[in-house]
Amino acid sequence: MKDKQTSKATINEVAAHAGVSKSTVSRYINGKIDAISPGKVKSIKKAIEELNYRPSQMAQGLKVKKSKLIGFLVADITNPFSVATLRGVEEVCDQHGYSIMVCNTDNSPEKEREMLHKLNAHYIEGLIINTTGQNNDVLMDLISQDVSIVLVDRKVPGLKLDAVTTNNREVTSQIVNLMYDKGYSHVGLFTEPITGISPREERASAYTEIALERNAGRIPQIYEVDVKDKAALLQSVKSFLASGGDRGKKAILGNNGLLMLKIISCLYEIGAAIPEDVGIAGFDDTEWYRLIGPGITTIAQPSHEMGKVAMERIVKRLEGDESAPQTIQLEAELVLRHSL
Amino acid sequence: MKDKQTSKATINEVAAHAGVSKSTVSRYINGKIDAISPGKVKSIKKAIEELNYRPSQMAQGLKVKKSKLIGFLVADITNPFSVATLRGVEEVCDQHGYSIMVCNTDNSPEKEREMLHKLNAHYIEGLIINTTGQNNDVLMDLISQDVSIVLVDRKVPGLKLDAVTTNNREVTSQIVNLMYDKGYSHVGLFTEPITGISPREERASAYTEIALERNAGRIPQIYEVDVKDKAALLQSVKSFLASGGDRGKKAILGNNGLLMLKIISCLYEIGAAIPEDVGIAGFDDTEWYRLIGPGITTIAQPSHEMGKVAMERIVKRLEGDESAPQTIQLEAELVLRHSL
DNA sequence: CTGTTAGCGCTTTCAG
DNA sequence: CTGAAAGCGCTAACAG
């Protein structure tokens, strides 16, 4: 039913077509229908359909200062955790007419800063971010420009912002205790660089605490590794396996899903059987885990829920909620399989 | 160094602050620096820094009709294939100053339509889409409004649009032949509903062709399943396993990564050993596959590259390339492991 | 080299 | 109930 038009119809054309002023069309668009005479409503509706008109978000936005855009800034969208979160965010965005701009930072503060500026230029109304923690100044700028920010997963000390996290300490304690209960006397924590990243710090500290408590004599073994450096990781795994002679069963706790994948890869290469030669468990659950080896025991974070909750917080803020920033802590869940 | 400002600085404020007209600031922003006296350049630069000014994409966009926004519309971003593609798209977007709006359709034509309208309202300049094929009219509208569209993975008959695909037929033939070569006499294809989705059609037809050729007596066995319906899938797998009595080795070809995951899950539940009881291979490669069972043989699509190429096409179009729409076919690669 | 002016598509008083 | 007019932040002639 649509005519071949060369470019978008504007409100003016609709107005002309319908024989009314653009104010009236604007009213129509904005739902103030019962303030318009029925006859005009009909002709406007008709005109809109015939011209296949859609109001321009840009023009609307420029006028009312609302872009209907939400930024989603993560280290790496390739990470299943991030994708699941994104879906959660999207779910509530759809309900409220927002669209999502996704950006990756690759954990680089510079790239993060750049992306933040880009998002800012687009007048995003909200931002959900898994931050490097190195761009607090830009974040503050955004705040002062009225964009609502919610931190997911990673909190930033000194930044009083809404945040959605999981009970990292608890769940880490749980799993480390489980390891000791199962007779693993050497448990090593493999993690990406800890400093400044709150969940890593929380997990490392919980690990250390339990390790100290349960195995008084032994120094907790934390391996800070670079997921990207396969060779180095292999070395670390080997060195852990060789540590402490042959006494005692060994288990690895992996700090995130991607790292787990790489570690398990190393184990395969080395030819270490799970759980006979090493036990393993770690954060982030995916459907694959049950299919690998004996099934990998994991800590499932409610990532989809986290995204949802984060975005809901933003919606609230955008609706005018001015209450003090809050940290919403969701519960991660232990998924017991047979790798321990 | 930034003052506490309550909202974004505008070009007017910068102009005032620098003691020049906003045209000059505009010139500065747009890089026409050597058309401005050095003194003013300095003061503008200073003003911009002090006010922490970023030009509004919305205002710029409204004026020049360029949003710098690219839509990325996929069935499900949760699918590893989609994420990898997204990263490819992003890579070239970054290089050219574009931002990406991601939307999921869940394979629903209605949702796709809705998303398309939403993206349209945001004046996206380009669209990369994995389409349901049911909204060609909207796609045509977009075209007529000068948005550059590239289809990824799925072509649409009758729509002359740029497309980026893989050599589905070839690679399917290859793997099916390999199956027969390895002595599997019953090979079944598991796929989501085929009709209207080009890669599925191509794969199914290549499969059928080879199956007919290599195993004259037997009717090709195609199972069209719903990935979401676990129970039904389990039934299909069982029925395939039970088919044709006990004569001959059986192998499953899975049409995409997600489906493969579900099928392998079923196999585990049934207790069928890979490859002793059933061989299996399928599309889409992820790092997990090497860790599952004996290592799963897959067809790796160059998804990252596909995203890159698709976005490069868009950039070309946006730069004015008016040549006839082309289909760029990339090569998928067989990754041999031990599930066959 | 630089300021003035008009206007992108829309919303929002303000009269009527 | 409805239209005229002003203006959101920016760019693009057009004079000077």
Side-chain angles (χ1 to χ4, degrees):
Chain A
M1 212 86 320
K2 56 220 47 102
D3 300 322
K4 216 119 278 165
Q5 62 209 74
T6 265
S7 65
K8 283 182 156 50
T10 74
I11 197 173
N12 280 308
E13 304 177 49
V14 175
H17 206 88
V20 301
S21 78
K22 62 176 177 171
S23 319
T24 306
V25 178
S26 175
R27 290 189 186 98
Y28 178 91
I29 294 171
N30 294 298
K32 307 188 201 318
I33 296 189
D34 34 60
I36 309 176
S37 71
K40 304 215 168 180
V41 170
K42 284 191 71 162
S43 58
I44 292 175
K45 183 180 207 154
K46 183 154 163 288
I48 288 183
E49 258 160 29
E50 288 183 3
L51 297 171
N52 196 231
Y53 169 72
R54 314 269 156 199
S56 156
Q57 279 285 351
M58 304 190 81
Q60 276 185 177
L62 182 57
K63 187 70 206 177
V64 304
K65 265 107 182 4
K66 295 215 168 331
S67 61
K68 285 296 178 184
L69 253 22
I70 300 293
F72 184 67
L73 197 44
V74 284
D76 179 10
I77 192 66
T78 281
N79 187 325
F81 172 82
S82 302
V83 195
T85 306
L86 173 60
R87 289 291 289 207
V89 173
E90 192 204 19
E91 200 175 309
V92 1
C93 274
D94 281 355
Q95 289 170 157
H96 297 268
Y98 291 100
S99 297
I100 308 177
M101 293 178 57
V102 188
C103 302
N104 293 286
T105 64
D106 294 318
N107 274 316
S108 145
E110 296 73 37
K111 211 172 162 203
E112 176 174 86
R113 172 170 284 260
E114 213 174 285
M115 292 306 180
L116 248 14
H117 286 323
K118 186 153 103 174
L119 292 173
N120 191 16
H122 279 283
Y123 278 53
I124 51 167
E125 293 183 52
L127 173 67
I128 292 177
I129 181 173
N130 192 259
T131 182
T132 63
Q134 303 303 118
N135 289 304
N136 299 355
D137 54 333
V138 187
L139 257 24
M140 291 317 293
D141 283 357
L142 286 171
I143 295 279
S144 77
Q145 287 164 25
D146 278 330
V147 358
S148 305
I149 303 183
V150 175
L151 306 173
V152 277
D153 191 40
R154 302 180 185 173
K155 281 177 294 188
V156 179
L159 221 52
K160 60 297 169 280
L161 250 32
D162 286 318
V164 179
T165 63
T166 44
N167 55 341
N168 286 303
R169 305 192 60 91
E170 259 183 75
V171 84
T172 303
S173 301
Q174 247 176 277
I175 191 127
V176 176
N177 268 319
L178 178 67
M179 285 170 157
Y180 283 106
D181 288 348
K182 292 227 173 191
Y184 293 95
S185 53
H186 295 51
V187 354
L189 171 66
F190 279 69
T191 174
E192 290 184 87
I194 295 170
T195 309
I197 308 291
S198 68
R200 294 182 193 158
E201 291 176 340
E202 291 164 7
R203 292 170 193 175
S205 114
Y207 156 79
T208 304
E209 187 181 308
I210 304 297
L212 247 23
E213 179 186 321
R214 298 290 301 257
N215 199 342
R218 189 173 317 290
I219 302 160
Q221 299 171 77
I222 299 184
Y223 294 81
E224 285 196 48
V225 298
D226 173 2
V227 236
K228 307 268 182 61
D229 187 345
K230 177 88 194 204
L233 179 58
L234 186 59
Q235 266 322 306
S236 300
V237 172
K238 280 185 178 160
S239 115
F240 171 67
L241 257 27
S243 69
D246 275 340
R247 298 165 283 120
K249 287 166 67 185
K250 296 193 173 65
I252 290 176
L253 176 60
N255 206 25
N256 72 51
L258 189 56
L259 188 52
M260 284 291 283
L261 173 59
K262 304 292 184 184
I263 294 174
I264 298 172
S265 255
C266 287
L267 260 19
Y268 266 57
E269 259 167 54
I270 294 172
I274 301 171
E276 293 77 11
D277 300 325
V278 231
I280 185 163
F283 281 82
D284 297 344
D285 192 40
T286 76
E287 253 182 296
W288 304 106
Y289 277 124
R290 55 181 296 233
L291 303 177
I292 294 179
I296 308 295
T297 291
T298 58
I299 293 161
Q301 303 197 72
S303 34
H304 184 274
E305 185 68 13
M306 288 172 78
K308 247 182 86 172
V309 169
M311 188 58 209
E312 276 160 0
R313 202 82 267 290
I314 288 192
V315 171
K316 280 274 169 295
R317 290 294 183 197
L318 258 20
E319 283 171 350
D321 179 345
E322 303 258 311
S323 57
Q326 54 184 259
T327 293
I328 303 177
Q329 193 174 80
L330 267 28
E331 308 279 307
E333 191 188 350
L334 220 54
V335 181
L336 265 21
R337 286 190 275 247
H338 308 284
S339 61
L340 281 184
Chain B
M1 213 84 322
K2 54 216 52 100
D3 300 320
K4 215 117 281 165
Q5 62 209 73
T6 265
S7 67
K8 281 184 159 51
T10 73
I11 198 173
N12 280 309
E13 304 178 48
V14 175
H17 205 88
V20 301
S21 78
K22 64 175 177 172
S23 320
T24 307
V25 178
S26 176
R27 289 186 188 101
Y28 178 92
I29 295 171
N30 293 299
K32 307 190 202 317
I33 296 188
D34 34 61
I36 310 176
S37 70
K40 305 214 167 181
V41 169
K42 285 191 70 162
S43 58
I44 294 175
K45 181 181 211 155
K46 182 155 162 288
I48 288 183
E49 259 159 28
E50 288 184 3
L51 297 170
N52 196 232
Y53 169 72
R54 315 270 155 198
S56 156
Q57 279 286 350
M58 304 189 82
Q60 276 186 179
L62 183 57
K63 186 71 208 177
V64 304
K65 265 109 182 1
K66 293 212 166 337
S67 62
K68 286 297 179 181
L69 254 21
I70 300 294
F72 184 67
L73 197 43
V74 285
D76 179 10
I77 193 66
T78 282
N79 186 325
F81 173 83
S82 301
V83 195
T85 306
L86 173 60
R87 289 291 289 208
V89 172
E90 190 203 20
E91 200 175 309
V92 1
C93 273
D94 281 353
Q95 290 170 152
H96 296 268
Y98 291 101
S99 297
I100 308 178
M101 293 178 57
V102 189
C103 301
N104 292 287
T105 65
D106 294 319
N107 274 315
S108 145
E110 294 74 38
K111 209 170 164 206
E112 176 174 88
R113 172 170 285 260
E114 211 174 289
M115 291 305 180
L116 248 15
H117 286 322
K118 184 153 106 174
L119 292 173
N120 190 16
H122 280 283
Y123 278 52
I124 51 167
E125 293 183 52
L127 173 66
I128 293 176
I129 181 174
N130 192 257
T131 182
T132 63
Q134 303 304 117
N135 289 303
N136 299 355
D137 54 333
V138 187
L139 257 23
M140 290 317 293
D141 282 357
L142 286 170
I143 295 279
S144 77
Q145 288 165 24
D146 277 330
V147 358
S148 305
I149 302 183
V150 175
L151 305 172
V152 277
D153 191 41
R154 303 180 183 173
K155 282 177 293 190
V156 178
L159 221 52
K160 60 289 171 284
L161 250 31
D162 287 317
V164 179
T165 63
T166 44
N167 55 341
N168 286 304
R169 304 192 61 90
E170 260 183 73
V171 84
T172 303
S173 301
Q174 249 176 276
I175 191 125
V176 177
N177 268 317
L178 177 67
M179 285 169 157
Y180 284 105
D181 288 348
K182 292 228 174 191
Y184 293 96
S185 53
H186 296 50
V187 354
L189 171 66
F190 280 70
T191 174
E192 290 182 87
I194 295 171
T195 308
I197 308 292
S198 68
R200 294 180 192 160
E201 291 176 340
E202 291 164 7
R203 292 170 192 175
S205 114
Y207 156 80
T208 304
E209 187 181 308
I210 304 296
L212 247 23
E213 179 186 319
R214 299 289 301 259
N215 199 344
R218 189 173 316 290
I219 300 160
Q221 298 172 76
I222 299 185
Y223 294 80
E224 286 196 48
V225 297
D226 173 1
V227 235
K228 308 268 182 60
D229 187 345
K230 179 84 194 212
L233 179 59
L234 186 59
Q235 267 322 307
S236 300
V237 172
K238 280 185 179 161
S239 115
F240 171 67
L241 258 26
S243 68
D246 275 341
R247 297 163 285 118
K249 288 166 66 186
K250 297 195 172 66
I252 290 175
L253 177 60
N255 205 26
N256 71 51
L258 189 55
L259 187 51
M260 284 289 284
L261 173 59
K262 305 291 185 186
I263 294 174
I264 297 173
S265 255
C266 289
L267 259 20
Y268 266 57
E269 260 168 52
I270 295 172
I274 302 171
E276 293 77 11
D277 299 326
V278 231
I280 185 164
F283 281 82
D284 297 344
D285 194 40
T286 75
E287 253 182 298
W288 304 106
Y289 277 123
R290 53 180 299 233
L291 303 177
I292 294 178
I296 307 295
T297 290
T298 58
I299 293 162
Q301 302 198 72
S303 34
H304 183 274
E305 185 68 13
M306 288 173 78
K308 246 183 87 171
V309 169
M311 187 57 209
E312 276 161 0
R313 201 84 267 290
I314 288 191
V315 171
K316 280 273 170 297
R317 290 293 183 198
L318 259 19
E319 284 171 350
D321 179 345
E322 303 259 308
S323 56
Q326 53 183 259
T327 293
I328 302 176
Q329 193 175 81
L330 267 28
E331 308 279 309
E333 192 189 349
L334 220 55
V335 180
L336 266 21
R337 285 191 275 247
H338 309 283
S339 61
L340 284 183

